[in-house]
Amino acid sequence: MMVALQLAKRAAGHDEVPVGAVLVLDDQAVGEGYNCTITDSDPTAHAEIAALRDGASKLGNYRLPGTTLYATVEPCTMCAGAIVHARVARLVYGAGEPKAGAVSSRTNVLDHPAMNHRVQVTGGVLGEQCASVISAFFKEKRL
């Protein structure tokens, strides 16, 4: 999660919402990403999607069984759906996302009966640190 936090701070340095994500397989990082929706003019350029794309490219497979995705913030609906489609085994996230969280805060895409893959979830890991990065970013925006 510490690597994901560093990636989130990199996003903030690009004036992007500071979210970072790392994909891990067998205790090795195989993919990483941070939000770059504004930089790339791409509404799908969320940290989780970037980490999944990076990992899939490195592993040579669009399926990512046995992987764990670490994200600093609870994924949105798009990212949660991508996690299921990629067959990620486990999701670990830091801060909850009360406005758009699709894992526990607003809805739970991962447990929807229509989904054909189940993902283990652990939330709140370094939650206060992850939340403080987001809070500081938006506090600065309001000044």
Side-chain angles (χ1 to χ4, degrees), residues 48-64:
E48 301 93 330
I49 301 294
L52 294 174
R53 286 177 178 160
D54 189 31
S57 177
K58 287 177 180 166
L59 296 173
N61 193 348
Y62 72 107
R63 300 275 195 228
L64 303 166

Side-chain angles (χ1 to χ4, degrees), residues 6-119:
Q6 290 304 313
L7 291 164
K9 291 173 184 175
R10 191 180 306 172
H14 294 283
D15 209 27
E16 297 276 359
V17 174
V19 178
V22 178
L23 185 69
V24 174
L25 177 65
D26 298 327
D27 295 322
Q28 297 292 316
V30 295
E32 61 180 42
Y34 56 87
N35 274 4
C36 17
T37 55
I38 297 164
T39 304
D40 293 352
S41 297
D42 180 354
T44 69
H46 289 198
E48 301 93 330
I49 301 294
L52 294 174
R53 286 177 178 160
D54 189 31
S57 177
K58 287 177 180 166
L59 296 173
N61 193 348
Y62 72 107
R63 300 275 195 228
L64 303 166
T67 59
T68 298
L69 182 66
Y70 293 85
T72 57
V73 176
E74 177 184 358
C76 69
T77 303
M78 174 183 67
C79 293
I83 289 165
V84 169
H85 289 294
R87 305 297 193 267
V88 170
R90 183 172 178 228
L91 167 68
V92 178
Y93 69 88
E97 213 311 2
K99 292 182 182 176
V103 175
S104 63
S105 295
R106 298 298 292 171
T107 187
N108 191 337
V109 169
L110 302 181
D111 278 344
H112 192 280
M115 294 298 174
N116 61 349
H117 174 72
R118 296 290 171 241
V119 178

